[in-house]
Every structure is written in structure tokens, then in C-alpha cells.
């Protein structure tokens, strides 16, 4: 806002920083309740300079500002956008919502579309920050700390700082950006002014190890160059130690993919099941399961399960995993290809999505128990691949015997049904999960069951914007789960 423009406005509002949402919210409330029109306000950021205090009208006695409940959440996200006109735009939305309470539901309205685009840009920038921040070590011993340089498009440092606190609680770190910096000393988080790239250290010894790791996890068979560059724009490459490998990896991807496919069938060797069977106890030789007093004993017993025919083709039983005093149990559908080979639940692609979103939601993965409604992998062979096949109601019912005993031993306060098969197992009837998503159903025994999708659904979405939106919805569900865990 230029000085001449400031003089034309009835009110000049000075915010303490680009992210002073509390200041904007207070000023917007006062002005709206006093019927001050959007064109009569100038919005400015102090940026450390001297300025006159904002001369705002008092709230009229008894006045109340009524707007849709979800507006504040939308506005708080869009407030982090770098558009310098965002303060005025959000006030205009607030002004309209007083008389158009359904405005945010009108997808064709230009202001609604603009708000959605701003939110999407901020969420995408946050996702990039989570993915592309790379710390470099400086100092040793008591002086050891880690510093990263990142260049976001929007004002997202404060918004994302807690994510890095949760993920790197045990180390001291600083993230430098042109807009702001975040510093964690192991106990206290501080937000400071922006910095220059020269303030960040050069590469350290760990980057060679990171490049080796990246080279080994690179999957040439799944390479889509345009999609990769969309998800990892070249602007981030200069700050990523692995970026120097990308051109050569792309150039050799076709040859590497053919070699990988030739030597890596997903199915276990034909003799694998026979070898496993030799070591499985006979069904009539299993311990008295009703007397199992620990999850460990139940897990051993489940290795010889023959309650349905699925054990014949699966590599092994994939039992639940987690602390035996967990307050919440997450129940999925069945193990996938990678879980079947590893013998552990939620370790494949969907499991990685699940872990990442739990972390974003602040749910400690080490404190929850994860299991599946069906304990053996059901699949259809397609050449050398094994393609997931949905378990039927009889198979779910047969395996409910194990689920019931897991719950009886752990005694959780909450169960989370990840998808329709899990809901069928937990509630004994088919549930329209997409319609009832986010709801809590209480069983006759008092157990609360929270309904949501399975994270594999996110992986099946191909359009990036839809995938990101679905990820956001699942993250919202997991935040609800965290809140329920505290009640």
C-alpha cells in the first residue's frame, strides 16, 4: 500500500508481520461490526519500521459477528499465501459472508475459487517443505546442531515448524528461509527473521551416504519424468544432495527397469510355502488359545491358523503389531504383497502413506497397535505379480476370531476402521464408509469405532490435485483420531 492510498482510506490497519493472523482477525472483527466497507480499509505490514498504531473502532455493545464456522480455518491457511492483497481479499470474503452464509459452498463464485486456489498453493508449499528440507550438521559434541536452507513460495515457516519439532525432537536444528527462520534447541521453538543462503553451511559428510541411499531406492520401473518434475520442481534441486544423481538415473532408467523386472518376481519361490508348512504347528497341536494371556502368545498361535483357505497360498500369517497396552487399534483390510513377504503389517506403499500422515497429525506410531481384518494375503497371480483380491464376508468372519482376541487382550479405548472390510469385521455388518466417514459408532460392548478410508485409496488416485485433497481429508481424519484418543 502506497502512502497516497493510505490517506484515502478511512482506516489503516498495521499488522506486526506477514503472518499476524491474530492481529488481522481482531481488526477485521472490529471493522465488520462497525460496518466499515472493504474499500475503506488499507492493510499494511509493519516489517520492523516505525508506524502509527492502528486506530480501530471499539466493538459496539452487544454486537456479534456471525460467519460460517469453517471460515476461520480456510482464512488461516490462505493468510500464509504470499499474495500482498490477501488481507483485503479475506476481509472482503468476511464482509460478504455476513449476508451470504453459503458463499463458500458456491464453487463457481470467483472469490470462493480464489480462496481454494490460495489454500491449495499453501498446502502444496507445505508439502514441499516437508519433503525437501535437508539438514546439514555443524559442530560436534555439545555444539552439534543441524541447519537447513529452504526457499518456500509462501509464508509457511511458522505453520510447519511443529511438524519438524515432532519429527526431529531429539536433535537441535535451525531452518533458514528468506522469510523467516525456525530454531529448535531441544526444548523451545523460536521463530526469527529471515536469512540469506550464505548463512547456511556447505555440504557435510552425511550427504554422500544420503546419495547412496537415494540411488538404491530409486525405482526405474515407476519413473515418470514429467510427474517427477511436477512433484520435485527443479527450483528445489539446487538444495538437494541427491539432485546431482537425477540426470544419470533418468538416462539409465529404461535399461535398469528391464533388468529389475527380469530378476525380481514378487511371488515367493514355489517351495517357500512348503518350507513354511514344515515349521507350522498342526491345528490340533496349537496351544489353548482362549488361555493366551499376551499378544505374543496369540501371535505364535496365529502362525498355524487354518480357519479359512487363504493360508494355503499366502507366504505366512501377518499378525498385528504394536504395544499390548495401546489405547487405539487401527484395523486395515488384509496384508499386501510386501506385508506377506515381510510378515509385518503396514510396511508397503500404503503403510508408508499411513505412517507419514500419522506423523503429520501428531499421532505417535509407536504407541498404537495396527492389525488387519484378515491375516493372510488374498491375491490373483498375474504373470510374476500377485494382485490384491478383496476378501469375502466368510473370510472376514473366520478371521474375526483373531481380531476379537486381539481386542480382548489389548482392551483399547478406540478402534479405527480403515475401509469397508475393517468396518465389517469390527461392526459385523456392511457400512457405507464414504457416507459415514469421520463418524464414531459405539458397539454394544462400549467400544468406539471411528470410520475412515484405507490409505491405499490415496495411492489409487492418479490426478495430483485430487490425491493431495484426499491426503488432506485423511490427515483431518487422523487429527480427529488424535483428539478422540485424549477423551
Amino acid at each position: 500500500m502506497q502512502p497516497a492510498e493510505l490517506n484515502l482510506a478511512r482506516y489503516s490497519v498495521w499488522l506486526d508481520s506477514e503472518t499476524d493472523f491474530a492481529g488481522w482477525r481482531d481488526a477485521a472483527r472490529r471493522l465488520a461490526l462497525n460496518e466499515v466497507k472493504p474499500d475503506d480499509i488499507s492493510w499494511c505490514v509493519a516489517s520492523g519500521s516505525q508506524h502509527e498504531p492502528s486506530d480501530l473502532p471499539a466493538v459496539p455493545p452487544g454486537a456479534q459477528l456471525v460467519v460460517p464456522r469453517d471460515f476461520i480455518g480456510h482464512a488461516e491457511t490462505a493468510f500464509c499465501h504470499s499474495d500482498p492483497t490477501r488481507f483485503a481479499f479475506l476481509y472482503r470474503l468476511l464482509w460478504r459472508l455476513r449476508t451470504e452464509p453459503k458463499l463458500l459452498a458456491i464453487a463457481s463464485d470467483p472469490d470462493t475459487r480464489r480462496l481454494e486456489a490460495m489454500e491449495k498453493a499453501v498446502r502444496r508449499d507445505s508439502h514441499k517443505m516437508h519433503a525437501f528440507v535437508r539438514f546439514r550438521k555443524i559442530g560436534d559434541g555439545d555444539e552439534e546442531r543441524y541447519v537447513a536452507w529452504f526457499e518456500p513460495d509462501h509464508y509457511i515457516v511458522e505453520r510447519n515448524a511443529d511438524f519438524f519439532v515432532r519429527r526431529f525432537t531429539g536433535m537441535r536444528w535451525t531452518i533458514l528461509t528468506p522469510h523467516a527462520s525456525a530454531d529448535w534447541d531441544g526444548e523451545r521453538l523460536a521463530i526469527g527473521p529471515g536469512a540469506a543462503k550464505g548463512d547456511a553451511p556447505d555440504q557435510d559428510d552425511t550427504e554422500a551416504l544420503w546419495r547412496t541411499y537415494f540411488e538404491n531406492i530409486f525405482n526405474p520401473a515407476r519413473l515418470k519424468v514429467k510427474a517427477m518434475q511436477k512433484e520435485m520442481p527443479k527450483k528445489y534441486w539446487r538444495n538437494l544432495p541427491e539432485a546431482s544423481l537425477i540426470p544419470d538415473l533418468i538416462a539409465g532408467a529404461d535399461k535398469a527397469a528391464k533388468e529389475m523386472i527380469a530378476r525380481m518376481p514378487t511371488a515367493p519361490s514355489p517351495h517357500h510355502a512348503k518350507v513354511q508348512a514344515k515349521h507350522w504347528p498342526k491345528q490340533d497341536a496349537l496351544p489353548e488359545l482362549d488361555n493366551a494371556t499376551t499378544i505374543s502368545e496369540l501371535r505364535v498361535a496365529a502362525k498355524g491358523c487354518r480357519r479359512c483357505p487363504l493360508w494355503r497360498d499366502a507366504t505366512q500369517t501377518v499378525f498385528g503389531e504394536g504395544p499390548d497396552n495401546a489405547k487405539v487399534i487401527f484395523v486395515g483390510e488384509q496384508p499386501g504383497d510386501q506385508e506377506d513377504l515381510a510378515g509385518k503389517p503396514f510396511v508397503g506403499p500404503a503403510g508408508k502413506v499411513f505412517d507419514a500422515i500419522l506423523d503429520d497429525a501428531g499421532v505417535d506410531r509407536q504407541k498404537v497397535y495396527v492389525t488387519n481384518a484378515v491375516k493372510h494375503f488374498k491375491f490373483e497371480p498375474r504373470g510374476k505379480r500377485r494382485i490384491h483380491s478383496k476378501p469375502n464376508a466368510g473370510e472376514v468372519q473366520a478371521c474375526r476370531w483373531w481380531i476379537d482376541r486381539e481386542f480382548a487382550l489389548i482392551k483399547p479405548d478406540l478402534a479405527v476402521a480403515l475401509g469397508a472390510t475393517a468396518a465389517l469385521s469390527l461392526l459385523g455388518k456392511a457400512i457405507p464408509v464414504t457416507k459415514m466417514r469421520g463418524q464414531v459408532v459405539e458397539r454394544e460392548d462400549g467400544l468406539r469405532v471411528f470410520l475412515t478410508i484405507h490409505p491405499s485409496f490415496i495411492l489409487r488416485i492418479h490426478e495430483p490435485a485430487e490425491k493431495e485433497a484426499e491426503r488432506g481429508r485423511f490427515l483431518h481424519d487422523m487429527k480427529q483420531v488424535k483428539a478422540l484418543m485424549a477423551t
Side-chain angles (χ1 to χ4, degrees):
M1 187 70 69
Q2 300 299 317
E5 295 176 271
L6 293 176
N7 294 332
L8 294 175
R10 287 177 55 197
Y11 292 96
S12 297
V13 181
W14 288 91
L15 302 176
D16 291 337
S17 70
E18 296 283 1
T19 55
D20 182 17
F21 182 74
W24 177 89
R25 183 176 180 178
D26 178 67
R29 177 171 174 270
R30 290 169 179 264
L31 294 165
L33 288 173
N34 281 279
E35 300 294 326
V36 180
K37 298 179 180 179
D39 291 341
D40 291 334
I41 308 168
S42 65
W43 299 88
C44 311
V45 177
S47 299
S49 60
Q50 296 294 322
H51 61 84
E52 295 295 324
S54 302
D55 185 19
L56 300 174
V59 175
Q64 289 187 334
L65 181 62
V66 180
V67 295
R69 181 179 301 175
D70 60 347
F71 170 69
I72 295 300
H74 292 301
E76 196 166 12
T77 300
F79 199 85
C80 297
H81 199 278
S82 57
D83 185 342
T85 66
R86 65 193 183 280
F87 311 128
F89 165 67
L90 291 172
Y91 184 78
R92 185 172 77 243
L93 268 180
L94 177 67
W95 182 262
R96 291 185 61 189
L97 283 167
R98 300 178 315 147
T99 55
E100 302 174 71
K102 302 294 185 182
L103 174 61
L104 298 183
I106 303 175
S108 61
D109 185 89
D111 282 346
T112 299
R113 292 204 306 270
R114 181 180 174 187
L115 178 67
E116 291 176 350
M118 292 172 73
E119 288 187 274
K120 179 180 176 181
V122 170
R123 288 195 299 268
R124 182 174 178 81
D125 208 27
S126 296
H127 172 69
K128 300 304 181 190
M129 186 173 182
H130 294 175
F132 299 139
V133 161
R134 296 289 185 268
F135 288 105
R136 288 169 171 167
K137 177 184 172 183
I138 59 173
D140 293 299
D142 293 340
E143 301 300 319
E144 179 183 288
R145 64 182 304 104
Y146 294 81
V147 181
W149 169 255
F150 186 72
E151 300 174 46
D153 292 326
H154 305 289
Y155 301 103
I156 60 169
V157 174
E158 292 177 71
R159 180 182 180 85
N160 288 280
D162 284 343
F163 168 86
F164 290 95
V165 169
R166 294 194 305 270
R167 178 156 290 186
F168 303 108
T169 304
M171 72 184 202
R172 296 186 298 168
W173 52 260
T174 302
I175 299 175
L176 305 174
T177 82
H179 303 311
S181 62
D183 182 85
W184 171 252
D185 65 4
E187 297 180 355
R188 181 184 61 86
L189 175 66
I191 304 297
K197 186 174 182 179
D199 297 326
D202 293 329
Q203 65 176 342
D204 62 12
D205 295 338
T206 62
E207 295 193 6
L209 180 62
W210 174 253
R211 282 191 287 269
T212 300
Y213 169 75
F214 182 80
E215 189 172 15
N216 279 277
I217 66 169
F218 179 78
N219 187 344
R222 302 187 68 180
L223 175 65
K224 295 181 180 179
V225 176
K226 290 184 178 180
M228 183 199 74
Q229 291 182 349
K230 185 174 182 180
E231 290 301 311
M232 185 192 289
K234 287 189 175 181
K235 64 166 282 187
Y236 298 108
W237 288 20
R238 59 183 177 270
N239 297 319
L240 299 176
E242 67 269 27
S244 61
L245 301 173
I246 293 176
D248 289 340
L249 291 173
I250 292 175
D254 185 59
K255 179 181 177 183
K258 291 177 180 177
E259 293 175 351
M260 183 182 73
I261 292 171
R263 68 175 184 267
M264 290 184 65
T266 63
S269 302
H271 69 278
H272 188 103
K274 295 179 181 178
V275 173
Q276 284 283 98
K278 291 180 181 178
H279 299 285
W280 279 335
K282 295 181 180 179
Q283 188 70 25
D284 56 8
L286 292 177
E288 188 64 38
L289 299 182
D290 286 333
N291 294 328
T293 58
T294 67
I295 288 294
S296 295
E297 292 177 4
L298 200 62
R299 181 178 293 109
V300 171
K303 290 180 179 181
C305 179
R306 306 288 191 275
R307 299 188 67 82
C308 77
L310 292 184
W311 68 272
R312 298 181 184 277
D313 296 319
T315 306
Q316 58 193 310
T317 304
V318 180
F319 206 69
E321 192 170 67
D324 56 11
N325 61 346
K327 297 298 183 184
V328 59
I329 295 181
F330 288 86
V331 181
E333 181 186 87
Q334 66 163 350
D337 181 84
Q338 293 188 31
E339 286 82 3
D340 174 71
L341 296 174
K344 292 178 176 293
F346 288 80
V347 296
K352 290 179 173 60
V353 171
F354 177 67
D355 285 350
I357 295 178
L358 278 192
D359 188 67
D360 288 352
V363 177
D364 189 343
R365 175 70 167 77
Q366 303 302 314
K367 293 183 179 180
V368 303
Y369 187 88
V370 295
T371 191
N372 283 297
V374 172
K375 300 294 194 280
H376 287 107
F377 180 33
K378 182 179 182 180
F379 62 92
E380 297 177 2
R382 303 253 183 101
K384 293 183 178 180
R385 297 189 61 80
R386 301 185 297 171
I387 305 302
H388 164 276
S389 181
K390 185 180 178 68
N392 61 41
E395 291 156 351
V396 173
Q397 179 59 33
C399 218
R400 189 175 178 181
W401 194 89
W402 295 103
I403 286 282
D404 287 345
R405 278 150 183 78
E406 285 178 289
F407 275 79
L409 289 174
I410 295 174
K411 298 180 175 59
D413 298 327
L414 176 70
V416 180
L418 300 171
T421 300
L424 173 63
S425 174
L426 291 171
L427 299 174
K429 60 182 178 179
I431 297 293
V433 171
T434 52
K435 291 183 179 180
M436 296 181 65
R437 179 177 184 173
Q439 295 185 31
V440 177
V441 178
E442 186 168 325
R443 299 197 319 191
E444 291 183 0
D445 61 1
L447 178 69
R448 298 175 299 164
V449 179
F450 181 89
L451 302 172
T452 185
I453 61 160
H454 194 282
S456 61
F457 177 69
I458 301 173
L459 294 176
R460 294 195 294 271
I461 300 173
H462 297 292
E463 206 285 315
E466 292 182 16
K467 183 187 287 283
E468 185 177 353
E470 186 54 50
R471 188 186 190 282
R473 286 190 284 270
F474 190 66
L475 173 59
H476 176 73
D477 290 346
M478 294 304 98
K479 288 182 177 179
Q480 286 184 267
V481 170
K482 182 182 181 183
L484 289 168
M485 290 168 65
T487 61

